[in-house]
Amino acid sequence: MVAQRCGTRSAWTPGIDTSDVKWSRVDKRGASVLLSPEEVRKDLVAARSRTMLEILARHMIVYRPGSTTEKSMLLKMVEFLEAATTAHEAIAGLRQRARFHQRAKDVGLATLDPSNLLKSLGGMVKSPLNEHGDIAFRMNLIRYITSAPTETNVMAIHRAYLAEFEQLA
């Protein structure tokens, strides 16, 4: 890969020089594509990012994996689950919650209190459990056996809910 000097800047960048006149249309088109969501545009205008390279750099700073934006989103998605009305919605929500929980652990987030996690999990599957009394009975039995709400027990209850609803569907 050939590295070129980028204008009067002291940084070395690989590839082509986007400040060159012949690449200005490409730079403007790329910048307009990256500015498409309105909240992203507001952030980039506030940061005074004009070129495509500056916009990409700002994206990598703000929206990189493990950033504060992703961490706050993960905490919200793990704690506040949408209530499911059918078994199929419960399966989709439980699978999504498992992915978010695993991602939160991968990023290194301290997860919420297990009693809060258990409460949000119960609120999510409340409607499908009311429709199926046999599943509600078995799940209450599992909750009674695993009385101390630890993260391991909450994940075991999560897997049990998922297995019951998958068997039902």
Side-chain angles (χ1 to χ4, degrees), residues 115-146:
S115 59
N116 289 340
L117 292 175
L118 190 59
K119 182 179 176 183
S120 68
L121 189 63
M124 185 184 117
V125 295
K126 185 177 183 178
S127 179
L129 281 180
N130 289 338
E131 294 175 10
H132 304 285
D134 54 336
I135 294 175
F137 175 76
R138 287 193 294 270
M139 294 312 299
N140 283 335
L141 186 62
I142 289 173
R143 286 178 109 177
Y144 179 73
I145 292 171
T146 58

Side-chain angles (χ1 to χ4, degrees), residues 64-163:
R64 72 183 184 275
S67 67
T68 56
T69 306
E70 183 187 17
K71 288 178 181 178
S72 65
M73 187 267 315
L74 284 171
L75 283 175
K76 286 179 189 174
M77 296 304 286
V78 170
E79 184 180 9
F80 302 111
L81 304 171
E82 285 188 34
T85 56
T86 65
H88 291 289
E89 288 179 10
I91 291 169
L94 288 168
R95 287 179 180 164
Q96 186 178 33
R97 185 195 175 279
R99 285 192 302 271
F100 284 135
H101 189 268
Q102 184 59 45
R103 178 64 184 153
K105 286 175 64 177
D106 291 344
V107 171
L109 279 175
T111 55
L112 300 169
D113 183 37
S115 59
N116 289 340
L117 292 175
L118 190 59
K119 182 179 176 183
S120 68
L121 189 63
M124 185 184 117
V125 295
K126 185 177 183 178
S127 179
L129 281 180
N130 289 338
E131 294 175 10
H132 304 285
D134 54 336
I135 294 175
F137 175 76
R138 287 193 294 270
M139 294 312 299
N140 283 335
L141 186 62
I142 289 173
R143 286 178 109 177
Y144 179 73
I145 292 171
T146 58
S147 60
T150 63
E151 186 176 350
T152 308
N153 290 346
V154 171
M155 291 311 293
I157 291 170
H158 179 273
R159 286 189 300 274
Y161 275 132
L162 186 59

